[in-house]
Amino acid sequence: MKISAVAAERRPTLHFLRGIRAISPVFLDTDVDMTAVVRHRETQHKYSVVSYVLHSAARVLAAHPEANAAMSGLLRPRVARYASVNGKFTLDRTLNGQRIVLSTVLTDLQRASLDEIQRRVEHFRDGDPAEMPEFAGARLLQRLPGPVGGLLFRMGTRPLNRRADVMGTFAVTSLGHRPVDGFYSVGGTTITLGVGRIADRPVARGTEVAVAPLMRLSLTFDHRVIDGAEAADVLADLKQTLEDFPTEERA
């Protein structure tokens, strides 16, 4: 047996996990028929599944302002509802030889085209986290002693007037590149979407059985902010938006 200290590169993840303990998560899921998205990708190979989910979820949350929100405080809880829909997504990266999860926030997604979202996703996916200025805060947290880094993290993420920019108003995390059908994550936001793999499965088409590319989509919601009916509406609308994705992208 070998016992060692937690790698410094994982300190930001530990600060994040301590910070989300106040959330009251509830978990939903559904299967999404991705036929329309798959057909769109056949002619536009440059788009990732995460980009489609970010694009669609931003438009759904713009129509559900109660869910595009955050809460702070225990004795005197307050809720902030944001005009901008900002999506946080996670990245599986290696830094200093250590495999870690990094996250970043894409702002104003309710107005962003699929092309713009893909460009922004690629910027973070292809960049070097050891050099990118967007990850300077994470690198600082890695260097600081645990208690100091934890205090700095709380100071930077707890204020409601900064939360949308540093944590996003919703989060997307994907394990669809692996043989994972579904999983349930808490992303520190009122709505967190978990994206599984797309796999051909039998589906009912009227009285016939067909095969279609299905994707398990999970939704974790913070019960302090919204109730199950609102969360179910968000998930249902997102399912419909992805299933009805047009051959030519909407503005």
Side-chain angles (χ1 to χ4, degrees):
M1 180 176 67
K2 179 181 179 181
I3 299 176
S4 59
V6 173
E9 290 76 15
R10 297 204 72 245
R11 287 175 185 166
T13 298
L14 298 183
H15 298 322
F16 166 76
L17 292 173
R18 294 187 187 101
I20 64 173
R21 288 176 179 172
I23 287 177
S24 297
V26 180
F27 309 97
L28 309 176
D29 68 42
T30 191
D31 287 327
V32 180
D33 185 340
M34 297 291 281
T35 299
V37 170
V38 169
R39 286 176 178 167
H40 189 268
R41 292 186 80 197
E42 287 174 351
T43 60
Q44 304 287 340
H45 299 287
K46 59 187 175 182
Y47 301 124
S48 71
V49 173
V50 167
S51 294
Y52 287 99
V53 174
L54 287 165
H55 180 274
S56 299
R59 280 143 182 80
V60 169
L61 283 172
H64 289 271
E66 295 297 313
N68 194 55
M71 176 174 282
S72 180
L74 296 175
L75 298 178
R76 298 181 62 186
R78 297 174 300 151
V79 176
R81 296 180 177 86
Y82 302 102
S84 173
V85 184
N86 299 349
K88 181 177 78 169
F89 77 100
T90 58
L91 300 139
D92 174 22
R93 304 306 304 269
T94 298
L95 186 61
N96 300 326
Q98 178 72 38
R99 189 176 185 179
I100 60 172
V101 174
L102 290 173
S103 65
T104 190
V105 175
L106 308 182
T107 60
D108 294 316
L109 290 184
Q110 77 280 7
R111 293 194 290 264
S113 68
L114 190 59
D115 276 328
E116 181 182 350
I117 292 172
Q118 182 65 28
R119 285 195 298 270
R120 292 159 76 179
V121 167
E122 289 175 355
H123 169 74
F124 289 101
R125 184 193 65 193
D126 300 337
D128 183 356
E131 302 291 339
M132 296 178 70
E134 294 92 342
F135 294 124
R139 294 193 297 269
L140 174 62
L141 292 176
Q142 292 162 8
R143 295 193 301 270
L144 292 174
V148 177
L151 176 61
L152 185 64
F153 181 86
R154 291 191 298 273
M155 291 174 60
T157 59
R158 281 188 176 177
L160 288 175
N161 62 347
R162 300 190 67 242
R163 187 84 61 85
D165 290 332
V166 297
M167 295 288 284
T169 64
F170 75 100
V172 175
T173 183
S174 173
L175 291 176
H177 59 293
R178 306 296 292 166
V180 174
D181 290 324
F183 68 106
Y184 307 85
S185 177
V186 179
T189 49
T190 295
I191 296 290
T192 302
L193 301 169
V195 178
R197 65 174 175 168
I198 298 174
D200 287 339
R201 303 184 190 278
V203 297
R205 304 280 197 208
T207 60
E208 302 292 328
V209 175
V211 175
L214 298 187
M215 181 185 77
R216 181 73 49 79
L217 180 66
S218 71
L219 184 151
T220 302
F221 70 94
D222 187 349
H223 208 337
R224 301 175 306 160
V225 183
I226 59 173
D227 295 323
E230 180 75 15
D233 287 347
V234 170
L235 185 59
D237 289 352
L238 179 53
K239 170 183 169 73
Q240 195 69 53
T241 301
L242 287 167
E243 290 183 343
D244 292 343
F245 201 91
T247 303
E248 294 186 1
E249 181 216 341
R250 287 170 285 195

